[in-house]
Amino acid sequence: RLDTQMQLKSNDEVGSLAQAIHDLSVELNHYRKNRSEFLANISHELRTPISYLRGYAQLIKHHRYQDKEELESYSAVIESEAIRLAKLIDDLFELSKMEEGRIQLYMQAVDVGELLEHSIQKVTLKAKEKNIGIEYEIDQELPLIYSDGARIEQVLFNLLENAVNYTEEGKVTVTATQAAEHISISVKDTGNGIPEEDVPFIFDRFHRVEKSRSREMGGTGLGLAIVYEIVKLLQGSITVKSEYGKGTEFLLKLPLKNTDNS
Ligand code: ADP
């Protein structure tokens, strides 16, 4: 009887080992597939600005322009594509550092209200140009939180910039309130909205609803992926609610205290 039991036990162990190896290989394949998809995306994303650079440089080289204005407009395309390329490279680098945990957080007492006001200021000019109002209601009693202020500002600015970029008319509303364990920040717009089928992928790298509009805005398609990684590092959460054609709301929750560091 003992023998059979041993047998059973060892069969069991072999079984679970086999299962573990199987799971691992499924995961590995998934990772490989994601990785090669990601590399294909990167190479496509890098090629696009490069082909613009080459094309417009050739036009200039062969004097294929009517007048000074046309020449200037070609140079402007070259400049903006070079800026996009640099941003793309910076974003990719930042994302890969984050994913490998090679990012240093500078934790200190942070005033989220102040960071919000600062980020709002930075998008105000763009909002004014588009005739979009920015309304905000920041709880004046918000406590200081123990976190990385520069990273939080990066997240807030990104959400606000998107809200302004992807809104044609109406307004952006920002609120910040305190709950028991966290601060809640909502960035809501009356803009284009995100189709239901895109919502689950919106934090994925290079996922864009309208590629052409994102290009027009100088977007890289990596902004929300970076936001997601930062929020994860700061032990917060971010969710999105959107109605296509009506508007979008991003809800960010930041813990009052960070469990590892305080
Ligand atoms: P991008 O550089 O293209 O803006 P992001 O990662 O910041 O990249 O955003 C990914 C995509 O999500 C955008 O291209 C856009 O289609 C969509 N998106 C992001 N924020 C909003 C918003 N507030 N309203 C509508 N669509 C949005």
Side-chain angles (χ1 to χ4, degrees):
R1 255 184 65 210
L2 196 66
D3 264 9
T4 351
Q5 254 179 1
M6 290 269 292
Q7 187 82 28
L8 265 180
K9 187 162 178 279
S10 88
N11 266 348
D12 237 27
E13 270 172 3
V14 172
S16 49
L17 190 64
Q19 185 62 39
I21 292 172
H22 176 258
D23 289 352
L24 201 66
S25 82
V26 168
E27 205 175 308
L28 204 63
N29 276 340
H30 184 68
Y31 170 77
R32 281 204 193 109
K33 186 170 169 282
N34 275 349
R35 209 178 103 106
S36 68
E37 248 169 45
F38 182 49
L39 287 175
N41 276 337
I42 290 178
S43 97
H44 173 77
E45 296 290 334
L46 291 173
R47 264 170 212 280
T48 313
I50 289 172
S51 66
Y52 275 87
L53 289 177
R54 185 184 286 157
Y56 281 85
Q58 274 170 356
L59 287 179
I60 292 175
K61 186 177 161 197
H62 299 299
H63 301 279
R64 278 215 232 113
Y65 47 86
Q66 307 281 331
D67 49 27
K68 202 167 141 251
E69 259 105 88
E70 204 168 76
L71 172 65
E72 277 171 9
S73 76
Y74 292 175
S75 317
V77 174
I78 292 180
E79 190 182 16
S80 67
E81 290 302 313
I83 292 172
R84 173 202 306 284
L85 202 53
K87 187 165 190 307
L88 194 60
I89 291 166
D90 287 348
D91 281 359
L92 278 171
F93 192 57
E94 175 131 305
L95 203 56
S96 82
K97 275 199 301 191
M98 279 173 184
E99 287 183 341
E100 287 167 22
R102 283 191 291 123
I103 205 109
Q104 174 94 39
L105 291 177
Y106 295 97
M107 306 297 284
Q108 54 187 323
V110 173
D111 182 342
V112 173
E114 200 179 287
L115 295 180
L116 257 175
E117 282 174 23
H118 196 215
S119 310
I120 291 170
Q121 263 169 15
K122 286 202 278 185
V123 293
T124 296
L125 182 66
K126 200 179 245 179
K128 277 209 173 115
E129 281 169 5
K130 292 182 78 178
N131 216 2
I132 295 165
I134 302 185
E135 288 175 5
Y136 60 95
E137 203 172 310
I138 300 170
D139 182 350
Q140 291 307 308
E141 309 279 290
L142 281 187
L144 297 179
I145 65 168
Y146 190 69
S147 195
D148 183 328
R151 293 292 170 189
I152 295 179
E153 191 164 335
Q154 197 180 346
V155 168
L156 297 175
F157 177 68
N158 227 305
L159 296 179
L160 281 161
E161 197 185 32
N162 277 345
V164 172
N165 279 345
Y166 299 109
T167 297
E168 293 333 310
E169 57 184 300
K171 61 179 181 185
V172 174
T173 313
V174 182
T175 60
T177 51
Q178 186 197 345
E181 303 286 331
H182 61 261
I183 287 181
S184 291
I185 299 153
S186 148
V187 178
K188 195 173 172 183
D189 64 59
T190 57
N192 310 352
I194 301 164
E196 210 180 320
E197 62 270 23
D198 286 284
V199 170
F201 307 106
I202 211 68
F203 294 103
D204 288 359
R205 295 169 288 196
F206 298 126
H207 191 89
R208 281 172 290 194
V209 177
E210 290 166 278
K211 273 206 183 266
S212 60
R213 186 190 299 275
S214 165
R215 273 194 70 76
E216 246 171 66
M217 306 294 170
T220 61
L222 292 174
L224 286 179
I226 292 175
V227 160
Y228 191 82
E229 291 297 323
I230 295 177
V231 172
K232 204 162 73 181
L233 283 172
L234 297 178
Q235 298 176 4
S237 67
I238 183 158
T239 51
V240 59
K241 275 190 278 181
S242 190
E243 210 175 324
Y244 194 45
K246 292 220 165 136
T248 304
E249 178 178 17
F250 282 91
L251 189 66
L252 171 67
K253 288 183 183 171
L254 293 170
L256 299 184
K257 282 189 182 153
N258 221 280
T259 48
D260 293 341
N261 305 287
S262 56

